[in-house]
Amino acid sequence: MPKEVVLIEVKGVTKIYGKKDNLFIALKDVNLIIPEGATVAITGKSGSGKSTLMHVMSGIDHPNDGQVLISGKDLHSMKRKEMDKFRAEEMSFIFQAFFVEANQTCYQNVALPLEIAEIPLRRRRTLVEKALGRVELGDKIDSKARDLSGGQKQRLAIARAIVNQPKIIFADEPTGNLDSVTGDRIVDLLFELNKTLGCTICIVTHDEELAKRCSMKVVIKDGEIIDLIQRKAVKTVTKSSTKKAKKK
Amino acid sequence: MKVIDTLRRSNRSLLSAKARTILTALAIGVGAFALTLTLSASNGAERFVNQIVSDNFDPAELIVSADEAVFNRVDTSKPQEYDESFGEIASQAGATTQIKQIDAEDIEKISQVDGVDSVREGVSVSLKYLTREGQKKYVGVVGTFSPYQKPDLLAGEIPESLGNRQILLPEGYLSSLGFVNPEDAVGKTVRLVMNKSTGSSLLAQAQSEQGINISQESLMEFQKEVEFSEDFTIVAVLKKPVTSQPGTELYMYAGIEDTKRLNDIIKEGTPGFQKYSYIFVRVKDGENESKLIEVQNKLKDMGYEAQSVKDTQEFLNQIIGVLRGIVITFGLIALIASVFGVINTMYISVLQRTREIGLMKALGMRKRDVGRLFRFEAAWIGFIGGAIGSLLAFVIGSLMNPWITKKLELGDDSLLVFDIKQIVVLIFLLVLVAIFAGLLPARKATKLDPIEALRTE
Ligand SMILES: Nc1ncnc2c1ncn2[C@@H]1O[C@H](COP(=O)(O)OP(=O)(O)OP(=O)(O)O)[C@@H](O)[C@H]1O
Ligand SMILES: [Mg+2]
C-alpha cells in the first residue's frame, strides 16, 4: 500500500459562537488529518459540533483560531476569489435536506456547479449525463426535480456533487431524511464513487453501521474529538457487496 | 458564472413565479403605457402643427403688422381712443378693438428695407353672398391664395399664377351649389355678390332726405345701387382641408390681383381703403434663418410687429410641451409607485431562494454573480413591464387612431405617432429603473451567509 497523502489537515481549530456573556464554544482545539481517498465518518451527539467542523473544513465557516490546510494550503487565509474558485473546482456538498431546486429539471440542477466553475456549455451536457448515469437517473435528465422520490432527489444531489469531479465531498447526514433501504443504497453509491473516482468523502452521520464501513471514524463530544478510529478502506467494499447480495 | 448562464437562471426563476412576475411587471407597464401614449400623442401634435405651418406659410416670409394686437391679446378693459385712420377687428368675446393698419406709405417703406424681396397684402373679401343660376344664396369669404399653400385637390388644378377671375372652391360648397361631383364643378362659374361700404353713408343720406320711413321701393333701388357682382370660374375643388388654419375650412381662394381689386371696390371711400391689418414680407434667402431674423429685427426697429412662421410654430409647440409635461409627470408617478412593487417582489424572491443562494455560495459562486443574478431578474421585470406597456399602448393606440382622427377631424394625419426609437429608449430606461429598484434586494442576497441560508429548513 502506497504511503498516504495528506489532503486535509485541521490544526488547533477553535470555533466560538455568540458574543461576550453568551459565548458558546462549538469546537475546542480540534486537530485532524484526513488522507486522500479516505472515507471519514464524523459521529457524535446532536449539538456536539459535527456540522460546524465540516463547515470549517470546507471554508464556508471561519474558525476563531487555528488553521485548515488543504493539500498544504491554508484555506482561511485565501482571498475570497481564490476560495470561491477552490470551492467551485475542488469540493462539493450533499445535505440532509437535499437542497435540489424543485422547479428545475435534473439537468439544470446538476449543471449548476458546472456553470459556477464556468465549464463551457458544449462540455456540460456530457458531464451531466455521465453524473446522472452514475446515480442511475440517466432517463430523468429532463424531468423536473419535484417529480422525483426522496431517494431519487438525494441521488440527484449526489450527481450534482460529483459532476465537476471534486477531490472532496462533504455530506451532512445524507441519509437522514430517507428510509433505511433507500439510505443504504445512497451510502453504497457514495462508497462506490469513493472507489471508482477516488474522491475523499466526509460523512456526518448518526448511523453506527455506516460509520463502521468508513476508513476513518471521528467521534466528537462537546466540540472535542474524543475518539479516532482508522481502518482499512478495503473492508467497505466487501461489506457493501455482501449487503447487496443479502438484499437479493 | 458566465453572464449568459446568470441571465438564463434569472429568466428561469422569473418563469417559475409567473403570476408574481407578471403582476409586478404590470405596475411598470402602467407607467410605460402612459408614457408611450403621451410621447406618441405629442409626436403627432407636433407633426400636425408643423404640417399646418408648412402647408400654409412660406418659411421665408414674415407676417408684418403695425399693431401688436394682430398677434397678441390686448387689454380690452380700458377704453381706446378713436382714431380715424385705424381699422377695426373684432376681438375676444365680441369686444371690438381698433388696430392700427398698414397703408401704402408703410408698404413703400418696408419694400425699401434691405433684404426684403417682395411684399404682398393680406386681403380677404367678405361676400354678401355667392350663388349660381338656379341655386340658393350662401355667405362666404374669399381669401388670397399664396403660392406656398399646398392644398389637396379633388378635381381640376391650380394654375401657376392664379388670377383673371379664377377661384378655388372648397368641397363644402359642392352640393349646396348644385354640383353632382367635384369634376362637375371645374370650369363652371359662380357669382360673387358684394356690397360697397359706401352703401351705409348713402343710406344715411337717403334717410336724411326722405325721413325715417324710406319706401320699400327706394330701399330696393338703393340696394341695387350699392351691390355689385362678378363671375368667377372654378379651376379646382379643394379637399376639405386638414391642415389649414382653423376657421378657414370654407374659404374660397382667388389670386391677389382679384382679391385686391374686389377689396378696393368694397372699401372705396372709407377710411379702410387700401389699408391692411397685416402684410406678408418675403425676405431674400429667407429660408436662411439668420437672414430672416435680420430683417425681422430691422422691421421691429421701425416700429412694426413682425413674426416668422417659426415664432408661430414655436408658440404652438410650447403649448404642446406643457401638456406633454403634465402627462409625463403622471406617468413618472406611476413608475415611482411601481419601483416599490419591484423592490417588494425582489425581496420576496431573495427570501424564497435563501437556500438556493446559500447553496450557490457554498458551491463557490462569486458574490458579484449572486448580485448580478438578482439585478438581471429585476431588469427582466422592467423589460417585460416596459414591453407589455408600450406594446399595449401601441396596439390600443393603433386601433383607436382612426376613431380619434375622425373625432378630431385630422383627415389623413393621425394623432398618435409611434416612434420605435423612442419606445426602445423608454424600455431601456425602464430596465434601468427596475435594476435600480432591485439594488437593495440584490445586495441582501450577496450579503447572505451560506451557513445561515443552509440552516433554514
Ligand atoms: N450560529 C450559531 N450561533 C450560536 N450557536 C451555534 C450556532 N451554530 C451552531 N451553534 C451551536 O454549536 C453547537 C454545534 O452545532 P452543530 O450544528 O455543529 O451540531 P451538530 O453536531 O451538527 O448537531 P446535529 O447532529 O443536531 O446536526 C450547537 O450546540 C449549536 O447550538
Ligand atoms: Mg448538524
Side-chain angles (χ1 to χ4, degrees), chain A residues 61 87 99 108 115 118 124, chain B residues 1 5 9 355 362 451:
Chain A
D61 207 349
R87 277 221 289 271
F99 295 158
Q108 287 158 356
E115 286 175 26
E118 301 196 351
R124 282 182 212 161
Chain B
M1 201 182 244
D5 291 320
R9 284 208 170 252
R355 234 180 42 190
I451 313 167

Side-chain angles (χ1 to χ4, degrees), chain B residues 391-439:
Chain B
L391 192 79
L392 220 62
F394 181 78
V395 170
I396 291 178
S398 301
L399 290 176
M400 298 264 293
N401 241 342
W403 183 79
I404 298 173
T405 306
K406 213 170 145 206
K407 279 273 163 200
L408 298 179
E409 307 194 331
L410 298 177
D412 293 338
D413 283 275
S414 40
L415 175 68
L416 303 174
V417 176
F418 293 98
D419 180 353
I420 294 298
K421 248 188 286 166
Q422 250 175 12
I423 292 179
V424 169
V425 169
L426 179 70
I427 292 178
F428 180 74
L429 287 178
L430 291 179
V431 167
L432 288 186
V433 167
I435 291 177
F436 175 77
L439 280 183

